[in-house]
Amino acid sequence: MKKTLAVLSLSVQIVSAQNMAQKLDKVTRDLMDSSSAVASNLSFYVSDENGNLIYEYQGNKGLSTASTQKIFTAGAALETLGKNYTFTTTTSYSGNISGGTLNGNLWISSNGDPTLGSWRYEGYKPENFKKKFIDAVKSSGITGISGDLVIDDSYFDHQTIPGGWPWDDLGNYYGAGVWGINWKENQFDININGTDFKNFSYPLEGVKWLNDLKAGGSSDQSLIFTAPHSNIALINGMLPAGKTVTVSGATPNPPLQLGVEARQWLKESGVELSGKVITGSQLELEGKPASKTPKSTIILTYQSPTLDKIVYWFLRKSINLYGETLIKTLGKEKKGNPGFKSGVAYLKEFWKSKGINPNMINFADGSGLSPQNYVSAKAEVQALLYAKKQSWFEAYYDGFPVQENGMKMKSGTMRDTKSFAGYQAAKDGKKYVFSIIINNYQGSGSTELQKILNVLK
């Protein structure tokens, strides 16, 4: 009797999977037969929670992923670094303290904490760091500084932007680069009415603006162009007339920005800084000998939130800065080289070691902003299935946004690119893992792709 029931149950499962595959095939082919898809490519793969194939359409084809690329970076970081990994920022000094005067320099250094000064974490906001910084200075008996405030941004290499990122993206908040010292997620906001700047979230140190904005339209169609270390910024495009809109950009020199704000904190607390604010990069540009943060006189050790919390926001809000910081960190930790190429190479090696065909994971960065990422839908499903079996899966899964249709999935959007990858429990209780990537679809594709997702519901 038990054997009969088992055979019957298996037969029902097979019929159910066949029905699912037939429905998916119909909506997929309807999508690809539409006039907007005449020049498009689609990679689509669905399995059950045990990895058994339900349906695929060119599942091995590598396409630009957009932000579903983040599922690979998040998983590798959680396993390699551990969910309790933290970044560290320190304050120390060189010279000596005599009669309240620091005869030397005050230093701030970090190993690239991307959350330093972020507004997302309770207890880790800019004002929290400010208080601990000032408390540490005062507790050390420092009431004046004869030297400089040095912001040591040397932990990573000088390349702050991955190769292959479009120039149109670099100056906007989602195109912020990665530095040895990051501050406020390397983002600034401008309130603009029509074409007139009203105010900044904070003044950008030494930056001058070229304004080519035009007023018109009903939505924000503006672009900001900044570059690392540059003191010139350009904004163009169109903003609605007669309405104040907040536009967010990428800070050109985050280490310098932190230093300028820290100098103001010192002044407000009665600590006089006789010297200037200078970064390690500036010292190098001026041809001065590079010096490192003193390790024997640390007065503040400031830890970031744990990696599981960072990964939550990385996936939930698709913060590219976090992904590229993790790539540089993986390169530094595992290969002794903090360059993007080193970190990306490790990411590929990691997933190859988990059984994914390396020809299906041609990574260019850790966030998906580069259109040079080429990944197949099957590879994304394999990564999701691997994650499901790991001890860190809860922290991983928690970061996946919940979509309107109840699916836990990461989405990705770039010009003419749309992708979805995640987990779904259907109405009958069956659980599926899926990935859809479409490139060069002429139109939003949202309605057509929603039909596919509705089948999985």
Side-chain angles (χ1 to χ4, degrees), residues 157-296:
D157 62 2
H158 293 309
Q159 185 180 348
T160 66
I161 303 291
W165 277 18
W167 172 237
D168 280 6
D169 292 334
L170 299 194
N172 300 284
Y173 72 95
Y174 55 86
V178 178
W179 305 68
I181 292 272
N182 301 297
W183 179 240
K184 295 180 177 176
E185 295 191 1
N186 301 347
Q187 174 181 326
F188 66 89
D189 301 326
I190 325 172
N191 290 319
I192 306 174
N193 189 294
T195 62
D196 297 328
F197 287 16
K198 294 302 179 182
N199 53 66
F200 285 75
S201 53
Y202 52 84
L204 291 176
E205 183 67 16
V207 174
K208 297 178 181 179
W209 282 85
L210 294 171
N211 186 348
D212 286 342
L213 281 172
K214 291 182 173 30
S218 59
S219 62
D220 178 0
Q221 299 296 320
S222 66
L223 284 175
I224 295 175
F225 297 85
T226 63
H229 300 286
S230 175
N231 60 356
I232 303 294
L234 163 68
I235 185 168
N236 64 18
M238 190 172 291
L239 288 174
K243 178 183 177 182
T244 299
V245 176
T246 301
V247 178
S248 300
T251 307
N253 196 332
L256 179 62
Q257 196 65 43
L258 170 59
V260 168
E261 293 190 34
R263 176 179 61 193
Q264 184 61 29
W265 302 341
L266 291 168
K267 182 178 179 181
E268 290 170 357
S269 63
V271 178
E272 182 180 351
L273 176 68
S274 300
K276 59 184 179 298
V277 173
I278 193 161
T279 68
S281 298
Q282 284 177 295
L283 288 170
E284 190 171 339
L285 288 169
E286 293 174 6
K288 296 179 180 176
S291 53
K292 295 294 184 180
T293 298
K295 300 296 184 184
S296 61

Side-chain angles (χ1 to χ4, degrees), residues 19-161:
N19 290 337
M20 169 70 77
Q22 289 171 357
K23 291 178 181 178
L24 288 172
D25 190 59
K26 182 182 185 309
V27 291
T28 299
R29 295 191 181 279
D30 286 347
L31 167 66
M32 297 309 290
D33 288 341
S34 68
S35 60
S36 297
V38 66
S40 67
N41 274 316
L42 176 73
S43 185
F44 182 25
Y45 198 94
V46 183
S47 79
D48 64 18
E49 63 179 332
N50 296 315
N52 299 307
L53 173 66
I54 300 296
Y55 177 76
E56 70 171 315
Y57 181 96
Q58 298 186 127
N60 291 343
K61 182 177 283 291
L63 299 177
S64 292
T65 59
S67 281
T68 54
Q69 165 77 5
K70 292 179 171 69
I71 67 175
F72 296 100
T73 306
L78 283 168
E79 179 155 321
T80 304
L81 303 174
K83 66 180 183 178
N84 294 318
Y85 180 89
T86 58
F87 294 88
T88 304
T89 301
T90 63
T91 302
S92 59
Y93 64 87
S94 57
N96 60 81
I97 302 169
S98 177
T101 298
L102 169 57
N103 298 301
N105 299 328
L106 190 66
W107 293 71
I108 299 177
S109 179
S110 180
N111 62 347
D113 180 4
T115 72
L116 186 64
S118 173
W119 57 93
R120 301 181 195 276
Y121 307 86
E122 198 60 43
Y124 297 88
K125 299 179 188 293
E127 56 268 27
N128 299 116
F129 178 71
K130 172 184 175 180
K131 183 178 187 307
K132 291 188 176 182
F133 172 75
I134 292 300
D135 287 350
V137 170
K138 288 189 170 182
S139 295
S140 301
I142 297 172
T143 57
I145 302 168
S146 68
D148 298 328
L149 175 57
V150 182
I151 311 300
D152 182 1
D153 56 352
S154 64
Y155 186 76
F156 294 141
D157 62 2
H158 293 309
Q159 185 180 348
T160 66
I161 303 291

Side-chain angles (χ1 to χ4, degrees), residues 16-17 20 424-432 456-457:
S16 176
M20 169 70 77
Q424 168 66 350
K427 292 178 180 178
D428 61 4
K430 292 185 175 62
K431 295 180 180 179
Y432 300 97
L456 290 174
K457 286 174 64 180

Side-chain angles (χ1 to χ4, degrees), residues 47-52 75 78-79 350-351 354-356 380-397 400 423 433:
S47 79
D48 64 18
E49 63 179 332
N50 296 315
N52 299 307
L78 283 168
E79 179 155 321
F350 176 89
W351 288 108
K354 309 309 176 188
I356 295 180
E380 292 200 332
V381 169
Q382 288 177 311
L384 293 170
L385 287 167
Y386 175 80
K388 202 169 184 297
K389 300 174 183 177
Q390 309 311 310
S391 59
W392 41 263
F393 177 68
E394 184 178 350
Y396 184 75
Y397 183 75
F400 280 69
Y423 306 91
V433 184

